[in-house]
Amino acid sequence: MGKALIIGAGGVASVVIHKCCQNPDIFEEICIASRTVEKCEAIKAKLDGGKTRIQTAQVDADNTEMLIELINKFKPDIVINVALPYQDLTIMDACLATGVHYLDTANYEPPEIPKFEYKWQWAYRERFEKAGIMALLGSGFDPGVTSVFCAYAQKHYFDEIHYIDIVDANAGDHGYPFATNFNPEINIREITAPGSYWENGGWVETEPLELKKVYDLPEIGQKDIYLLHHEEIESLAVNIKGIKRIRFWMTFSEKYLTHLRVLENVGMTSIEPIEFEGKKIIPLQFLKAVLPDPASLGPRTKGKTNIGCIIQGVKDGKPRTYYVYNVCVHEECYAEVGSQAISYTTGVPAMIGAMMMLKGLWMKPGVFNVEEFDPDPFMEALNKYGLPWKEDFSPTLLD
């Protein structure tokens, strides 16, 4: 059916590539491209010989001209961006220049400002529409599946949704004293930034990790959850009818937070360059280099994740509550694709989003978030391709 250029060769990219190769009727040919071509070759070596044809290429995703050259050479139908969020705009520029559809899993963030906002990518709407191509933003799990969950609830169960609490819980154990489950630089920037939530038409800001609750999650039990800013809040506030409040919560163990506080106190989480042995280095990037690579955590990680949306609203004039969630098992993910569940839960929806576009189920010119499309085929695909979801119509609510 089509060709996909996959930019990135980390843990999430590996899952995307595995899942594309499981669907060769859709993904007839792929090209894996990264700054480090050896990583691309290593993934190809695991999967070569199947029905999906695989190429590799070296590319600097910060270099638009280099991206344009690669796109013109490979001639993909879609570019799947699973590189760094800093590189979203250069890749979108390359797609515009070549007339190719675009998909990512996380919104753009400037390297020098730890702030996730869609405004930079939403500014491309008119240009993509005029070019007759589509950009699908945030087709991971959160953002991504969580937004599709909300669109599904809006379509099937509510006349108006008033409150959404997104809860992302990882009860897995990798055995290290301290490690991050996805890119350490992005993860730590996200956690140490101020929190915020959307309420009554505006943003309410909090100190980092200021708001904490305890929630009993299906299959993993009671966990400490902390309020964070997260990008899907911004788009859901625009696209969900009647919304009054949206919050995002994530679990962290006390051990994890203690390590993080120490690193923060000694300056290791800073993104301000410092002088070291005659050259400028960024402490957080140095920390990333010494921490375990998230892609290496797969064989070590045991346990489950639970990610979902607790929703309150009205139907036929009556109050209604709804909880939709996925539970993913780290060991099962590793057995299937060689990655832990954090990478799996992001990579599978990226493949599904690309599939929706290539099939024409989600396709129109412009720049869109996932909740702007019919959620039903995506929800069906989640069940089919490894992320089955469950429903609860009388959940415990977060006050």
Side-chain angles (χ1 to χ4, degrees), residues 50-260:
K51 290 185 178 180
T52 299
R53 300 185 299 277
I54 304 174
Q55 297 184 29
T56 62
Q58 195 277 329
V59 73
D60 178 358
D62 292 316
N63 186 324
T64 300
E65 292 306 314
M66 195 174 183
L67 289 162
I68 290 171
E69 184 180 343
L70 174 59
I71 293 170
N72 283 331
K73 181 180 178 183
F74 181 62
K75 294 181 169 50
D77 299 290
I78 188 171
V79 172
I80 302 174
N81 170 17
V82 278
L84 293 171
Y86 319 138
Q87 297 163 328
D88 288 0
L89 302 189
T90 53
I91 299 171
M92 290 180 77
D93 286 336
C95 287
L96 269 175
T98 54
V100 174
H101 303 303
Y102 169 90
L103 176 147
D104 66 33
T105 63
N107 69 359
Y108 175 72
E109 180 185 8
E112 68 282 358
I113 307 171
K115 189 172 181 63
F116 296 84
E117 283 186 286
Y118 276 119
K119 67 178 183 183
W120 291 284
Q121 291 178 279
W122 283 349
Y124 281 70
R125 282 170 169 160
E126 187 176 345
R127 281 174 282 171
F128 267 72
E129 188 173 357
K130 285 183 177 178
I133 57 174
M134 175 175 155
L136 184 65
L137 307 182
S139 189
F141 205 107
D142 43 340
V145 175
T146 50
S147 300
V148 175
F149 281 169
C150 293
Y152 185 81
Q154 180 172 254
K155 178 178 178 180
H156 293 284
Y157 299 128
F158 292 90
D159 295 323
E160 282 191 357
I161 290 174
H162 294 161
Y163 303 102
I164 299 170
D165 282 293
I166 300 164
V167 182
D168 181 332
N170 177 24
D173 182 7
H174 45 59
Y176 285 115
F178 183 80
T180 63
N181 291 296
F182 60 97
N183 185 301
E185 185 179 354
I186 304 302
N187 185 216
I188 292 172
R189 282 169 65 113
E190 181 179 85
I191 297 165
T192 56
S196 65
Y197 59 96
W198 197 90
E199 187 169 38
N200 297 327
W203 291 98
V204 180
E205 191 165 291
T206 69
E207 292 299 312
L209 306 178
E210 176 187 352
L211 297 184
K212 171 190 171 183
K213 294 183 182 293
V214 177
Y215 194 75
D216 192 357
L217 292 126
E219 299 190 39
I220 64 173
Q222 285 197 345
K223 298 292 174 186
D224 293 339
I225 59 172
Y226 294 83
L227 186 136
L228 301 182
H229 172 77
H230 226 245
E231 60 252 55
E232 66 262 50
I233 298 174
E234 184 180 8
S235 66
L236 290 171
V238 174
N239 294 318
I240 297 298
K241 295 179 294 185
I243 195 70
K244 296 179 180 180
R245 187 183 68 208
I246 314 172
R247 302 180 296 190
F248 181 94
W249 307 86
M250 187 174 281
T251 56
F252 301 103
S253 68
E254 193 53 44
K255 182 174 76 170
Y256 181 96
L257 293 178
T258 299
H259 278 86
L260 186 64

Side-chain angles (χ1 to χ4, degrees), residues 178 188 192 208 254 256-270 283-284 287:
F178 183 80
I188 292 172
T192 56
E254 193 53 44
Y256 181 96
L257 293 178
T258 299
H259 278 86
L260 186 64
R261 290 185 198 105
V262 172
L263 291 167
E264 196 168 13
N265 288 342
V266 298
M268 287 304 299
T269 62
S270 172
L284 182 54
L287 177 62

Side-chain angles (χ1 to χ4, degrees), residues 34-47:
S34 174
R35 193 190 304 266
T36 310
V37 73
E38 292 80 9
K39 290 184 176 180
C40 306
E41 292 290 351
I43 299 172
K44 178 185 176 184
K46 294 178 184 177
L47 293 166

